[in-house]
Amino acid sequence: MKNKALERLICVTAALLLCFSLSSFKLIQQTKNDTIVNKGFKLKTIIVDAGHGGDRPTAKGNFSHGASGSYSNERTVTLSIAFKLQAAIEKELDGVKAVMTRTSDEDVDWQKRADIANQNKGDLFISLHCNALPDRKVREKVGTKKGKPVYKTVSVPDHSGKGVLMLVYGLHRSKEEENAIKKTQIAEEEETDESFNPDDPVNVILINEYKKKFRKQSINIANLINDEIVVGDGRRSGGVIEQGVLVLCHTAMPSVLVETGFIDNPDDEDYLNSDKGQNEIVASIIRAIKKYRDGVEQVAEN
């Protein structure tokens, strides 16, 4: 641990001297990025998060049963896909282990999911969910009064949603991502060096470098998964969007939430509950992870 902290101190000092001599703030950012943030990176641990759950283990916390279809529910579908993805990762990606945030129907608090990811030093966080649309509001005629029609507003199910959607954390919650990085990525130095100050300008630069890298890689893996599902499986997609999801901005690593389909759409529900559908989703994610791994490990070696 001390050797690692010393190596980082030497790299940062050298970068600062170079920055001052050339009066280039951009250069120090690139130097630290190359020598500290990316050096020798290998994809070793992937966190697989099965969204939602059944029973609440405690009265307090953030829990949700998730969406439901005509005969199935989100929490059961996501857990089934998660188990398949875990097995595929450990079978097809040499040297990579998959850590599950949930292995039973019991729900897990949102913050605890992020804590599991950070405590296991995850290199990539993949959260699996099923989408659903809210009911539509329509006006329908319920009778007449004095010769005039009488209407009331009613809710009717909207089954028009179809296909996948990729989520990355919204920039409006970037401060929470910074806090997660501060607590996780540089925690070793904080534990081994009593003089370590996470608010030191040099360390602030480091945190920003991690944040920029994780943001870029989150969008990258989201696009890769989306492309594999659309091109490889021929499914519809809503693309990649930002959303303020707690588990995405509280995990100090690249992260993506995969909406695997609309469980309230009859065709999607059948697909999500079939072995064929689940296996195709997993295969697409595995292909995307392989491309992602080749890219980030190649950058780290250069």
Side-chain angles (χ1 to χ4, degrees):
M1 296 294 185
K2 292 183 178 180
N3 289 337
K4 182 177 179 181
L6 180 60
E7 179 185 1
R8 176 167 289 185
L9 178 60
I10 292 171
C11 291
V12 172
T13 302
L16 285 170
L17 289 172
L18 187 58
C19 173
F20 294 148
S21 65
L22 297 178
S23 300
S24 172
F25 183 73
K26 183 177 180 180
L27 182 58
I28 185 174
Q29 287 181 311
Q30 185 61 47
T31 302
K32 282 194 299 298
N33 187 55
D34 291 343
T35 60
I36 298 172
V37 177
N38 284 329
K39 187 176 181 180
F41 175 80
K42 294 291 183 184
L43 186 66
K44 296 179 180 179
T45 305
I46 298 175
I47 310 300
V48 179
D49 177 46
H52 302 283
D55 295 335
R56 298 164 58 107
T58 62
K60 295 182 179 180
N62 291 309
F63 303 99
S64 170
H65 289 313
S68 296
S70 62
Y71 62 87
S72 64
N73 55 65
E74 180 177 7
R75 66 182 186 270
T76 302
V77 170
T78 58
L79 186 60
S80 179
I81 297 174
F83 276 126
K84 287 180 170 68
L85 181 58
Q86 179 193 39
I89 288 171
E90 297 185 343
K91 178 182 179 181
E92 299 189 36
L93 298 170
D94 291 339
V96 180
K97 69 175 180 178
V99 176
M100 301 267 285
T101 61
R102 178 169 73 90
T103 57
S104 71
D105 187 59
E106 184 176 279
D107 205 349
V108 177
D109 176 64
W110 300 346
Q111 182 58 51
K112 186 176 180 180
R113 294 170 189 260
D115 292 341
I116 291 170
N118 293 330
Q119 289 164 5
N120 283 276
K121 301 184 184 301
D123 300 308
L124 182 61
F125 181 87
I126 300 176
S127 187
L128 302 168
H129 286 254
C130 298
N131 217 339
L133 290 176
D135 289 348
R136 292 185 295 111
K137 301 293 185 181
V138 298
R139 284 169 54 81
E140 66 177 22
K141 183 178 178 180
V142 294
T144 58
K145 186 176 182 180
K146 296 182 178 180
K148 295 182 178 180
V150 176
Y151 296 90
K152 73 172 182 179
T153 301
V154 297
S155 297
V156 297
D158 186 350
H159 302 306
S160 63
K162 192 176 181 66
V164 299
L165 181 67
M166 307 296 143
L167 306 182
V168 296
Y169 83 86
L171 287 175
H172 64 287
R173 301 188 72 166
S174 60
K175 193 65 178 179
E176 294 168 70
E177 175 75 5
E178 290 178 16
N179 291 334
I181 292 169
K182 187 183 297 185
K183 293 177 182 178
T184 305
Q185 291 296 329
I186 54 179
E188 291 182 356
E189 284 77 1
E190 195 169 9
E191 293 173 358
T192 58
D193 183 358
E194 294 181 358
S195 64
F196 180 80
N197 179 12
D199 297 318
D200 181 272
V202 173
N203 294 319
V204 170
I205 294 171
L206 279 173
I207 291 169
N208 285 332
E209 284 301 320
Y210 275 117
K211 185 175 69 171
K212 287 196 300 182
K213 183 184 78 166
F214 293 160
R215 174 72 174 178
K216 180 179 179 180
Q217 292 178 347
S218 295
I219 295 172
N220 181 25
I221 185 63
N223 279 317
L224 288 170
I225 294 173
N226 187 70
D227 290 347
E228 289 297 333
I229 290 176
V230 171
V231 177
D233 302 335
R235 298 184 65 204
R236 186 187 303 177
S237 172
V240 178
I241 66 171
E242 293 182 356
Q243 197 167 106
V245 180
L246 186 147
V247 292
L248 297 182
C249 61
H250 286 205
T251 47
M253 63 201 70
S255 57
V256 60
L257 188 152
V258 181
E259 296 281 10
T260 56
F262 282 81
I263 198 168
D264 59 349
N265 174 286
D267 293 336
D268 269 14
E269 183 176 17
D270 289 345
Y271 182 82
L272 291 170
N273 280 275
S274 69
D275 283 335
K276 176 182 181 294
Q278 293 185 6
N279 290 336
E280 284 185 354
I281 292 168
V282 168
S284 292
I285 295 175
I286 291 294
R287 291 194 301 272
I289 293 174
K290 288 179 178 179
K291 292 179 179 179
Y292 172 84
R293 179 184 63 176
D294 290 345
V296 295
E297 291 186 355
Q298 184 178 6
V299 169
E301 291 172 358
N302 292 338

